[in-house]
């Protein structure tokens, strides 16, 4: 078979079909390191993955490293990662092995944002896509959360458990297929580190830009006021003007482990087409009529 032409989804589907047929007892929590080593040995005996392990890595989450004149490869994940993150990092590096090792014979180092697929680098997006599709197959994920559902952290956390990935990985997977307008906001010490919007939210302008540096949390938001109660975690409704000009439902909690705050925002079905300002509505409408 001409594996060179296979893309991330084709590779992920290949392994998913294999796993569906083999029916291992814990279908969605299979050992990704074993899968990488066993399948690379049978598919690519000339340069298989022979080692998957933890190492102290400087400022990166994982790496694909060659050994012995590139006749063997190793997958490395950084120390201190939770089992879910470790699993996702390993799948991401396995993606680099399948898709990119010919182009990058000296190996690849992946940042945290690279593993999550948040960077614009094509190779990182592809490896993330492979990992997401392999660990969280779309057909099964959509059975847990339908594209029109509005899940809270409870439901998303159940998916993270089901697929043994981090909560963030499960949220990003859901945000990439949901039809709802929603976004995740990750903050530390009152500042937004990064945010990711669903496509429907993005095209309607509901996104938070952090590429130019950290952004302060909205002062009237629950997370901005450090209200980490069970009620806030389960969802609190805000009027327009708190997060965006429109109302938003906020779900927030703080993770003790990293001192990081996670916020999920659900917005209405459609962006308000006109502003509240009557005059401006008329102006816009008049202009529309004149131009049409
Ligand atoms: Zn990477």
């Amino acid at each position: 078979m001409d594996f060179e032409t296979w893309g991330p989804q084709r590779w992920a589907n290949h392994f998913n079909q294999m796993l569906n047929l083999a029916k291992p007892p814990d279908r969605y929590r299979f050992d990704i390191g074993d899968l990488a080593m066993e399948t690379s040995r049978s598919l690519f005996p000339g340069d298989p993955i022979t080692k998957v392990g933890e190492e102290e890595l400087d400022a990166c989450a994982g790496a694909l490293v060659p050994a012995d004149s590139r006749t063997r490869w190793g997958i490395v994940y950084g120390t201190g990662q939770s089992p879910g993150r470790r699993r996702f990092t390993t799948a991401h590096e396995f993606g680099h092995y399948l898709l990119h090792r010919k182009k990058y014979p000296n190996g690849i180092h992946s940042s945290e944002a690279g593993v999550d697929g948040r960077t614009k680098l094509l190779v990182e997006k592809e490896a993330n896509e492979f990992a997401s599709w392999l660990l969280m197959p779309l057909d099964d994920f959509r059975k847990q959360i339908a594209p029109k559902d509005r899940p809270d952290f409870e439901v998303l956390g159940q998916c993270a458990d089901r697929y043994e990935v981090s909560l963030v990985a499960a949220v990003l997977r859901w945000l990439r297929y949901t039809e709802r307008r929603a976004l995740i906001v990750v903050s530390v010490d009152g500042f937004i580190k990064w945010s990711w919007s669903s496509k429907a939210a993005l095209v309607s302008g509901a996104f938070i830009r952090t590429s130019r540096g950290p952004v302060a949390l909205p002062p009237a938001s629950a997370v901005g006021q450090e209200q980490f109660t069970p009620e806030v975690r389960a969802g609190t409704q805000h009027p327009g003007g708190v997060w965006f000009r429109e109302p938003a439902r906020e779900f927030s909690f703080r993770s003790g482990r990293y001192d990081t705050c996670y916020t999920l925002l659900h917005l209405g079905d459609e962006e308000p087409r006109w502003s509240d300002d009557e005059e401006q509505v008329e102006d816009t409408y008049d202009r529309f009529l004149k131009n049409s």
Side-chain angles (χ1 to χ4, degrees):
M1 252 179 277
D2 190 10
F3 295 125
E4 302 282 316
T5 63
W6 284 24
Q9 289 185 20
R10 175 113 193 236
W11 271 116
N13 289 341
H14 170 76
F15 293 119
N16 275 318
Q17 280 166 11
M18 209 179 79
L19 288 160
N20 287 343
L21 286 170
K23 290 198 180 65
D26 225 353
R27 162 64 182 88
Y28 295 107
R29 296 166 71 100
F30 59 92
D31 189 314
I32 176 68
D34 283 353
L35 180 92
M37 288 191 283
E38 280 167 26
T39 56
S40 66
R41 199 159 50 218
S42 63
L43 293 173
F44 307 106
D47 64 338
I49 295 166
T50 56
K51 204 182 163 205
V52 176
E54 190 177 56
E55 242 177 66
E56 195 83 52
L57 294 172
D58 265 356
C60 63
L64 174 74
V65 285
D68 295 349
S69 321
R70 288 155 204 128
T71 57
R72 290 185 302 153
W73 292 84
I75 286 176
V76 181
Y77 46 80
T79 45
Q81 294 181 22
S82 66
R85 282 209 67 94
R86 213 148 60 204
R87 198 157 175 274
F88 198 90
T89 304
T90 304
H92 176 99
E93 300 307 330
F94 185 31
H96 280 318
Y97 169 84
L98 295 166
L99 301 159
H100 310 126
R101 74 183 186 285
K102 295 269 157 66
K103 240 191 259 172
Y104 298 85
N106 296 324
I108 296 180
H109 282 67
S110 307
S111 67
E112 199 183 312
V115 172
D116 290 340
R118 286 182 278 121
T119 66
K120 290 194 176 78
L121 295 171
L122 182 66
V123 289
E124 294 302 341
K125 278 161 96 170
E126 285 183 342
N128 171 271
E129 199 178 328
F130 169 77
S132 301
W133 280 74
L134 174 63
L135 301 180
M136 299 173 273
L138 187 61
D139 56 342
D140 189 73
F141 207 125
R142 286 167 63 116
K143 280 181 205 154
Q144 316 305 315
I145 303 175
K148 289 195 190 306
D149 284 356
R150 297 177 194 273
D152 57 14
F153 276 126
E154 197 60 36
V155 173
L156 288 158
Q158 283 162 11
C159 287
D161 281 349
R162 179 179 180 81
Y163 305 115
E164 205 183 3
V165 295
S166 69
L167 179 65
V168 168
V171 171
L172 288 171
R173 179 70 169 125
W174 160 71
L175 282 173
R176 287 188 171 103
Y177 76 81
T178 183
E179 291 166 17
R180 292 294 181 191
R181 297 174 63 239
L183 56 154
I184 183 177
V185 178
V186 178
S187 59
V188 177
D189 293 334
F191 284 90
I192 300 171
K193 274 178 75 187
W194 61 269
S195 170
W196 187 272
S197 295
S198 68
K199 199 181 170 201
L202 186 69
V203 298
S204 63
F207 60 87
I208 298 166
R209 199 194 309 269
T210 54
S211 55
R212 288 180 205 137
V215 178
L217 281 166
S221 65
V223 61
Q225 297 182 356
E226 303 201 333
Q227 293 169 14
F228 300 113
T229 61
E231 289 76 25
V232 167
R233 193 187 164 113
T236 181
Q237 188 66 32
H238 292 297
V242 174
W243 280 96
F244 296 100
R245 288 182 66 181
E246 61 182 301
R249 191 162 182 81
E250 173 186 345
F251 306 72
S252 287
F253 74 96
R254 177 159 56 192
S255 157
R257 191 170 167 188
Y258 304 105
D259 213 21
T260 300
C261 304
Y262 297 94
T263 299
L264 178 65
L265 295 174
H266 279 290
L267 306 173
D269 282 341
E270 270 178 86
E271 178 204 15
R273 294 179 72 111
W274 315 107
S275 78
D276 310 328
D277 187 340
E278 283 289 329
E279 246 178 64
Q280 205 184 325
V281 171
E282 269 167 29
D283 280 358
T284 312
Y285 190 61
D286 287 345
R287 232 177 301 134
F288 173 73
L289 287 179
K290 271 181 218 146
N291 293 337
S292 58

